[in-house]
């Protein structure tokens, strides 16, 4: 079992995320760890390419923290 190859930490006043390369799947993938909560997400090459090609408005909606992150009622947030 290989340890993820650490790339570094990306931080701002709003978030701190550790970025590494995980090689335990079928192919290398990006491992993202929210250092505040410990939540981990893996992104493969296709998912990363999809982010690159997504229209600007899509990313704005995706990055809106009120949709999923900062809710206390257990709902997923978002529209009606």
């Amino acid at each position: 079992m290989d340890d993820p190859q650490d790339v570094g930490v990306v931080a701002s006043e709003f978030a701190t995320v550790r970025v590494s390369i995980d090689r335990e799947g079928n192919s290398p993938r990006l491992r993202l760890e929210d250092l505040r909560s410990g939540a981990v997400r893996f992104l493969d090459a296709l998912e990363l390419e999809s982010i690159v090609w997504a229209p600007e408005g899509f990313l704005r909606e995706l990055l809106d923290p009120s949709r999923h992150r900062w809710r206390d009622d257990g709902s997923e947030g978002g529209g009606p």
Side-chain angles (χ1 to χ4, degrees):
M1 186 178 341
D2 293 333
D3 287 332
Q5 176 186 348
D6 192 30
V7 173
V9 173
V10 178
S12 74
E13 60 192 280
F14 303 108
T16 304
V17 176
R18 174 172 287 120
V19 179
S20 56
I21 306 294
D22 177 80
R23 298 182 188 283
E24 291 201 22
N26 292 333
S27 62
R29 57 193 179 165
L30 201 60
R31 181 182 188 276
L32 305 171
E33 178 183 359
D34 176 2
L35 294 181
R36 180 184 55 85
S37 69
V40 174
R41 173 77 60 182
F42 295 94
L43 298 174
D44 66 20
L46 180 59
E47 292 166 320
L48 291 168
E49 183 182 81
S50 297
I51 292 169
V52 171
W53 285 101
E56 188 71 28
F58 173 79
L59 288 178
R60 248 186 250 114
E61 185 176 320
L62 175 69
L63 297 173
D64 179 357
S66 67
R67 292 188 55 83
H68 302 283
R69 183 173 176 184
W70 295 328
R71 297 185 65 89
D72 292 333
D73 63 5
S75 70
E76 290 189 13

